[in-house]
Amino acid sequence: MKLIKNTGLWAALGLSVIMITSCEKKEEDETKTTKTSTVNIEFEHTFNDAEFALNKQYTNPFGEQVSFSSVRYYISNIKFESTDGTIWAETESYHLLDLSDPGSLVLSVDKVPSGDYHAITYTIGVDSTRNVSGAQEGALDVKNNMFWTWNTGYIFAKFEGVSPQAANNSFAYHIGGFSGENNAITSNTLHSHDHMIKVSPDASPELHIMVEMSHLFDGMHDIKVADLSGIHMPGMMAVHMAHNFSTCFSLDHIHD
């Protein structure tokens, strides 16, 4: 009887050891899978492949002189796709870029799981849900002066400046609209091709995205300042300019 009891005791002890070991392994595996890092995304703007700056004169594809006094736009809903097809999405992913504030042109996306990613997807503008979600904070705070009304929603992008070809020598394109035929929300997917976005606790890769501002006038639709010097509400021209702006972006290189 003692032998049987001891055998049972050893079996129980063995089971406990197995359970403890399994729990430790599970915790270790969970720790491994939750290791994260930060991915930085820098946006560099050009015009006709030259460095872009506010209040500097450029010639658009139609020979018109333009000088921008303000360029502001939203980048939101950032997602990374791994080589196995898994998609990771940033939470509360709303960023307001402003060329008068260089610090806003570098986005730090935190808590990206370790892995190899080959594509980034993002929205230019603000998704329809947030357009009708009431008062908000941070980048979506109405105090940022990027909002019309609850009926028309957020202004996804603002391009303002001067041009001798424009009516009253100035232009102001305020792009927005989130429903129906006036939906000006666009999204881009940029592929890294042969250079993976490698994320690990020991590495914070940086993506360098170029924004070629001249395509604002001829990316998908021809828009001349002489013909159109102002957009201030949702509509066909806001949609056309949103499509043009979406063509401005390209992934130039990645720093590991």
Side-chain angles (χ1 to χ4, degrees), residues 104-155:
S104 71
L105 305 182
V106 180
L107 310 184
S108 293
V109 182
D110 298 322
K111 299 181 180 179
V112 182
S114 296
D116 291 346
Y117 299 87
H118 71 101
I120 175 176
T121 297
Y122 54 88
T123 295
I124 305 170
V126 179
D127 54 84
S128 57
T129 299
R130 287 304 186 96
N131 271 279
V132 293
S133 294
Q136 298 171 67
E137 300 178 343
L140 299 179
D141 194 319
V142 296
K143 294 179 181 178
N144 290 323
N145 198 27
M146 292 291 285
F147 192 80
W148 280 319
T149 70
W150 294 119
N151 290 326
T152 49
Y154 281 91
I155 301 170

